[in-house]
Amino acid sequence: MNGVKIAAVSSMTIDGVTGIPVGVECGLSPGSPQDSRILGLPDTAVRESFTRMRSALASCEGYEWQTRKIVFNLSPAHVRKQGSAFDLAFAMAMLVLDEKVEKSRVEDTVFFGELGLDGRLHPVRGALPVLLAAARAGARRVVLPLANRAEASISLGSEIDLEVLCAPSLNELYRMYCGHDHAVETIRPAAPARPPHLPDLADVKGQPVGKRALEIAAAGGHHLMLGGPPGAGKTMLAQRLPGILPALTEQDALVVTSIRSVSGSIDPDYPLQTWPPFEDPHHNASPVSLIGGGSPVVRPGAVSRAHRGVLFLDEAPEFAAHVLDQLRQPLESGTVTVHRAVGSYTFPARFQLVLAANPCPCAAASGTCVCTSIVRRRYQSRLSGPLLDRVDLLVDLLPPARGALLDHSGAEEPSAAVAQRVTAARERAAARWTGRLNAEVASKTLRRHWQPQGTSRDILAKAYDAGRLTGRGYERVLRVAWTIADLAGHEQPAFDDIAEALAFRQRLRGVAA
């Protein structure tokens, strides 16, 4: 066609936590080698791929680089292409262009990997989203670096028939296509590894109110705040919340692991995360590290890494106020959208928030605090009212009882027993709300399904008239009451369920309303 010779292969780019198919066309035409270029909105890493590819091709046995004008076109052209994982697709397109590899052998194959100058394939982020996108697009085969073997072994579902190859280097992949002996591995789906041991509630001595709040939070998907002096057990309780949450569904496990994949935090021993994640960022975390963002590559933040799990903010008043207030939108929507000049990126962020706070800055033992009332109020006011209004359960922990602490033989209830009650309560809620938790059901549905009557209505009216409830707080009391009723096996919330839910909305030593 007018002297232009073209070869085409397939690759992927990552948008948020989703793979987007990209066609890689390689054109050879008369002109100066200095005019070689890459079209289709490439970022800096993609533009650098040309140099890495040219050096890596020298490792292929019998291949000689020819000086000529080469143009790569990445389609769709309107989608921003980013990352170094196009290296392998560029190299394979050149091998097809120079007729070193038959075109028919690379059809329906997605190439995704970064090349070193010596031709070795380096690990890349986003391998699992690429596999999922390739399966949706109808590809038959995906080629990844050997270092991504763990992710490649994740089962995508029994109905998906996708061949996954992992190559240590470009030369070994070239030898495979030439029909020679090679070290390319065909990866078979593996059964998920048994989850690691999670902290057990039996380790926490005493604190019956804190444990009760934790059970309610787990059963209904509610947000929780724990206040109290140092050593009361706030952190221990928060760390044990994942242990009483149900295991992730197959779909949620793939989404959570995809987030880990684009974050570069896949554990080779546990490639598929089947248990709820737990994120506990330090209080000096920036808005980008908590919410997500970055430049030039946008990465998910802690709120997304905690998707379908727990985000624990210890020493919550020590976080910058403007950082904490950015949690308000994802707490309501369950997603985070990061806007940039080149486009927007959406990450899932359906997490349970657990806040922990000391009563004052000095955090001294009872009776030795030197903070004035003004200092205490200023410290506690760092948590804004709109943020705390989104928290369903507010608990003020006292130091553990002396008897419970000193009695080493006392047996506390283990997480497994609590988890059974949590699972049963969630099943009741799912049957009532068509698969949703009490914390997730739409307000319209919540109000239409049931309305408090009699003494239940009276106690809520008194709380509202006294300024102890906002409009949002009223709905959250109803949601918590439904969870308490589910744990008790009630058909609908009783007066005691409403009263207990309302008690968890009391002021937390001046911190919460």
Side-chain angles (χ1 to χ4, degrees), residues 210-272:
K211 292 179 179 178
R212 173 64 172 169
L214 205 68
E215 181 176 343
I216 295 172
H222 304 292
H223 306 305
L224 170 67
M225 179 168 180
L226 302 170
K234 303 185 295 293
T235 301
M236 288 188 70
L237 286 170
Q239 291 172 340
R240 280 146 183 81
L241 180 54
I244 61 176
L245 292 173
L248 300 178
T249 65
E250 181 179 337
Q251 181 60 34
D252 284 341
L254 289 174
V255 173
V256 168
T257 307
S258 293
I259 296 171
R260 297 281 174 182
S261 178
V262 299
S263 301
S265 55
I266 289 287
D267 187 342
D269 296 327
Y270 304 96
L272 180 65

Side-chain angles (χ1 to χ4, degrees), residues 69-114:
K69 178 183 177 181
I70 300 170
V71 176
F72 285 100
N73 181 53
L74 308 179
S75 59
H78 68 278
V79 175
R80 183 76 174 177
K81 320 302 186 308
Q82 57 185 13
S84 58
F86 285 99
D87 295 3
L88 183 58
F90 286 171
M92 291 307 302
M94 286 300 304
L95 292 174
V96 172
L97 185 73
D98 289 336
E99 300 179 350
K100 297 295 185 179
V101 173
E102 295 180 11
K103 178 181 178 180
S104 61
R105 300 202 63 187
V106 298
E107 291 179 347
D108 298 325
T109 301
V110 174
F111 297 95
F112 193 76
E114 176 187 327

